[in-house]
């Protein structure tokens, strides 16, 4: 099943986890530490109260807002702006109707961030884009790759992010609430990858 189809069919917990996992992988861009989003993950666990998400979302926004102020808010960095938008647009209400467009937007934003970090975006022809993504990546996300593979024509860094997004939703779909730990492990692995990519980009700029 394609990533687009998985998002379209996910329930409210799956959508919240999908968006949160994208944000978690990109949190190094926001100056947060590895534990800053743990309150939000805890609010999605089985047995958490219905209002836990909203309260912990505000808590996380406060912490990452302070981190952004200390770091100068990214100084016009597009990747930082995309990551920050994931956080600021997160819905306070945990409903599928509100979470689905957010999860979809987070998916696209995370893919764009990974492309920016590997330098691919600078080589793009803006006229050959669909939904903010290059045509090949848009097709891979929708399972419409001409060659029949999800990652045909997509850089390895971005292809790995696409696979992680699919893996998170597949785990939640297959295991329900018990898939939360596996989704967190996928997000943690992806965060390490992104942190290394940020470091490489900093060295290229120096």
């Amino acid at each position: 099943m394609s990533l687009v189809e998985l998002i379209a069919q996910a329930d409210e917990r799956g959508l919240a986890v999908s968006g949160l996992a994208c944000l978690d992988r990109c949190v190094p861009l926001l100056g947060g530490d590895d534990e800053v989003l743990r309150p939000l993950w805890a609010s999605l666990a089985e047995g958490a109260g219905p209002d836990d998400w909203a309260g912990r979302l505000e808590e996380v926004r406060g912490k990452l807002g302070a981190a952004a102020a200390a770091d100068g808010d990214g100084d016009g960095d597009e990747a930082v702006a995309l990551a920050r938008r994931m956080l600021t647009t997160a819905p306070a209400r945990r409903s599928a109707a509100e979470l689905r467009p957010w999860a979809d937007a987070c998916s696209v934003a995370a893919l764009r961030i990974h492309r920016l970090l590997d330098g691919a975006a600078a080589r793009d022809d803006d006229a050959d884009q669909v939904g903010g993504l290059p045509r090949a990546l848009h097709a891979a996300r929708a399972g419409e790759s001409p060659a029949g593979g999800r990652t045909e024509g997509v850089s390895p860094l971005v292809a790995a992010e696409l696979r992680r997004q699919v893996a998170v939703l597949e785990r939640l779909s297959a295991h329900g609430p018990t898939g939360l730990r596996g989704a967190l492990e996928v997000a943690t692995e992806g965060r390490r990858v992104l942190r290394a990519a940020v470091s490489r980009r900093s060295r290229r700029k120096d």
Side-chain angles (χ1 to χ4, degrees), residues 76-128:
D77 187 313
E78 184 180 356
V80 173
L82 286 166
R84 186 156 303 285
R85 195 171 303 132
M86 286 191 232
L87 178 62
T88 59
T89 59
R93 185 163 171 263
R94 255 186 62 186
S95 71
E98 295 185 43
L99 287 165
R100 201 174 313 280
W102 177 66
D104 188 67
C106 287
S107 166
V108 172
L111 291 168
R112 289 179 63 189
I113 285 168
H114 283 74
R115 296 190 66 260
L116 287 163
L117 292 177
D118 77 0
R123 302 189 293 271
D124 280 347
D125 178 358
D126 291 341
D128 194 33

Side-chain angles (χ1 to χ4, degrees), residues 1-10 107 137-145 150 162 165-167 169-170:
M1 192 178 296
S2 74
L3 177 56
V4 170
E5 291 170 326
L6 287 166
I7 292 173
Q9 295 182 20
S107 166
L137 180 52
H138 181 272
R141 188 172 176 268
E144 299 170 355
S145 173
R150 279 182 181 146
L162 183 61
Q165 292 188 21
V166 170
L169 283 162
E170 286 180 340

Side-chain angles (χ1 to χ4, degrees), residues 1-80:
M1 192 178 296
S2 74
L3 177 56
V4 170
E5 291 170 326
L6 287 166
I7 292 173
Q9 295 182 20
D11 61 14
E12 59 89 10
R13 177 180 276 108
L15 293 166
V17 171
S18 176
L20 178 57
C22 288
L23 176 60
D24 201 339
R25 288 190 293 276
C26 298
V27 82
L29 289 163
L30 301 179
D33 61 33
D34 289 348
E35 302 297 317
V36 69
L37 296 183
R38 285 302 177 101
L40 276 175
W41 284 100
S43 77
L44 297 174
E46 195 168 21
D51 298 324
D52 285 0
W53 169 267
R56 293 179 181 184
L57 180 59
E58 285 307 306
E59 176 187 337
V60 167
R61 282 173 173 160
K63 288 180 179 178
L64 287 175
D71 289 347
D73 205 27
D75 296 325
D77 187 313
E78 184 180 356
V80 173

